[in-house]
C-alpha cells in the first residue's frame, strides 16, 4: 500500500480548479494547501522567481528545502500576479520585521496580505485584504523531547495543561496545537520566534476553539487577535492568526496540474 503520509497529495479540503481573479472580500481569509513534493512543477515555478529568490534557492543544499521554497514563492507570485493582473515574475516582493515576505509597492498592493508555511511535503498559503496574517503548518510526528521543548518554549500555564494530559496521542496533538498557534501569531506580527514563544498563552486542549489567551500577561491585547485551527490533511495540523475578526474562512487545495504553468 502506498504511504501517502509524506506526499502532501491527499487533501481533506476541496480542490481549487483555478486561482481566483478577484481578491478576498473584507473579513474573508483564504487558506490553500499545496504539495511541495511534486517535482514536476518546480522548473516552471523557478522561472517566476526574482534574482534574490533565485540566489536563495540555489544556496539551499537540500532538494526538499529547495522544493518548499520554490513552490511557496512560485505559488505566491502566481496568486498575486492573477489578483494584480501582472505577470507573476514581475510581482515585486520585499520583507518586513524579521524576514516576513510582503508585497512591495503602493498602498493598493500593500492591502494584499499573505503568508506561507511548509512542513514535510505540504505547504499553506494564506491571503486576506483586511489584516496582516500569519500561518503555520506542522506534520504531526513523534516528538521525543516534547517535555523539554514545552518547558523551554511554552507559557507556564501551557506546560501545566500539557502535563495534565495522560494519553500520549492527546499530548502530541496539544503540543502541535500550541506550537502552530504560537508560530502563526509570531508570523502575523513578522517578529518570528525571536519574540519568544513563551510570552503568549494559547488554547491547546482538544475540543477548545483556537484562541490567544494572553500576550505578556495582557488579555486585552490578546482579544484583538483571531486564531483558527486548520486541518488540511489528516497527517498535518495548521493554524492561522490575524489581528482582526475572520468572518469567513475559505480553504482549498491547489493541484499544480490545474494551474497553467
Ligand atoms: C518565521 C519562522 C517562525 C518560520 O519558521 P519555520 O517553521 O521554519 O517555517 P515555516 O514553514 O512556518 O515558514 C517559512 C515561511 O515563513 C515566511 N517568513 C519568514 N520569516 C518570517 C517572519 N519573520 N514573519 C512571518 N513570516 C515569515 C517565509 O515565507 C518563509 O518561507 P519562504 O522563505 O520559503 O518564503 C522562523 O523562520 C523565524 O522566526 N524567522 C525569523 C528570524 C528570527 O527571528 N530568528 C530568531 C531565531 S531565535
Amino acid at each position: 500500500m502506498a504511504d501517502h503520509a509524506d506526499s502532501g497529495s491527499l487533501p481533506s479540503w476541496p480542490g481549487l480548479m483555478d486561482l481566483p481573479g478577484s481578491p478576498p472580500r473584507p473579513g474573508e481569509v483564504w487558506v490553500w494547501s499545496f504539495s511541495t513534493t511534486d517535482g514536476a512543477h518546480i522548473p516552471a515555478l523557478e522561472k517566476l522567481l526574482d534574482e534574490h529568490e533565485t540566489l536563495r534557492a540555489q544556496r539551499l543544499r537540500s532538494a526538499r528545502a529547495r522544493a518548499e521554497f520554490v513552490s511557496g514563492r512560485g505559488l505566491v507570485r502566481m496568486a498575486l500576479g492573477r489578483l494584480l493582473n501582472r505577470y507573476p515574475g514581475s510581482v515585486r516582493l520585499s520583507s518586513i520585521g524579521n524576514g516576513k515576505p510582503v508585497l512591495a509597492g503602493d498602498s493598493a498592493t500593500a492591502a494584499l496580505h499573505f503568508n506561507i508555511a511548509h512542513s514535510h511535503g505540504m505547504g499553506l498559503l494564506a491571503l486576506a485584504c483586511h489584516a496582516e496574517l500569519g500561518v503555520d503548518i506542522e506534520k504531526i510526528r513523534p516528538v521525543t523531547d516534547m517535555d523539554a521543548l514545552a518547558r523551554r518554549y511554552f507559557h507556564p500555564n501551557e506546560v501545566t495543561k500539557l502535563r495534565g494530559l495522560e494519553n500520549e496521542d492527546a499530548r502530541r496533538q496539544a503540543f502541535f496545537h500550541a506550537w502552530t498557534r504560537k508560530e502563526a501569531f509570531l508570523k502575523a506580527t513578522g517578529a518570528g520566534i525571536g519574540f519568544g514563544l513563551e510570552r503568549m498563552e494559547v488554547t491547546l486542549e482538544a475540543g477548545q476553539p483556537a484562541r490567544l489567551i494572553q500576550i505578556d500577561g495582557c488579555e486585552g491585547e490578546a482579544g484583538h487577535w483571531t486564531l483558527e485551527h486548520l486541518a488540511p490533511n489528516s497527517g498535518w495540523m495548521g493554524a492561522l492568526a490575524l489581528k482582526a475578526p475572520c468572518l469567513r474562512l475559505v480553504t482549498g487545495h491547489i493541484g499544480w496540474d490545474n494551474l497553467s504553468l
Side-chain angles (χ1 to χ4, degrees):
M1 188 165 61
D3 177 12
H4 295 288
D6 265 311
S7 72
S9 63
L10 284 179
S12 57
W13 295 351
L16 204 74
M17 294 321 286
D18 203 0
L19 297 176
S22 52
R25 286 183 234 138
E28 191 171 82
V29 183
W30 300 341
V31 182
W32 303 331
S33 57
F34 55 95
S35 165
T36 64
T37 52
D38 171 11
H41 63 280
I42 298 290
L45 293 174
E46 274 171 341
K47 295 196 179 103
L48 306 178
L49 304 186
D50 67 17
E51 201 181 334
H52 175 74
E53 290 167 327
T54 303
L55 282 173
R56 218 184 117 191
Q58 284 166 353
R59 280 200 296 266
L60 291 168
R61 296 245 170 107
S62 111
R64 183 173 103 180
R66 224 169 21 249
E68 287 182 341
F69 177 70
V70 173
S71 306
R73 291 301 178 102
L75 181 59
V76 162
R77 289 180 164 281
M78 290 198 71
L80 297 177
R82 186 81 206 275
L83 295 174
L84 298 168
N85 203 17
R86 284 188 202 158
Y87 171 65
S90 71
V91 169
R92 286 195 307 120
L93 300 178
S94 62
S95 63
I96 57 166
N98 272 322
K100 180 175 187 171
V102 293
L103 252 173
D106 53 30
S107 52
T109 55
L112 270 170
H113 305 287
F114 70 87
N115 197 229
I116 311 164
H118 22 65
S119 172
H120 295 77
M122 172 86 75
L124 289 182
L125 167 62
L127 288 135
C129 285
H130 68 301
E132 275 294 354
L133 49 71
V135 71
D136 189 40
I137 182 168
E138 292 294 337
K139 172 132 195 271
I140 309 301
R141 54 194 191 276
V143 184
T144 43
D145 47 357
M146 189 151 55
D147 286 338
L149 283 171
R151 276 198 308 277
R152 178 158 177 208
Y153 292 113
F154 285 10
H155 186 279
N157 293 349
E158 294 166 340
V159 177
T160 306
K161 284 178 189 167
L162 202 62
R163 279 204 190 118
L165 298 171
E166 284 169 15
N167 177 293
E168 185 59 27
D169 192 44
R171 275 158 50 77
R172 188 183 306 147
Q173 291 285 328
F175 177 86
F176 281 110
H177 274 140
W179 191 272
T180 52
R181 289 167 194 182
K182 286 162 172 287
E183 265 211 17
F185 168 74
L186 294 178
K187 292 178 73 180
T189 66
I193 51 174
F195 176 85
L197 288 161
E198 72 289 351
R199 287 173 61 182
M200 82 220 57
E201 182 188 357
V202 296
T203 52
L204 49 76
E205 288 150 311
Q208 277 194 322
R211 188 168 68 84
L212 190 54
I213 298 170
Q214 55 165 304
I215 308 166
D216 285 335
C218 178
E219 290 180 24
E221 173 59 16
H224 295 122
W225 287 84
T226 301
L227 291 182
E228 296 278 353
H229 168 69
L230 304 170
N233 184 298
S234 60
W236 280 260
M237 184 190 288
L240 166 79
L242 77 160
K243 198 175 183 181
C246 176
L247 302 181
R248 184 162 177 254
L249 179 62
V250 183
T251 58
H253 183 80
I254 303 277
W256 297 109
D257 291 345
N258 293 331
L259 304 186
S260 338
L261 284 165

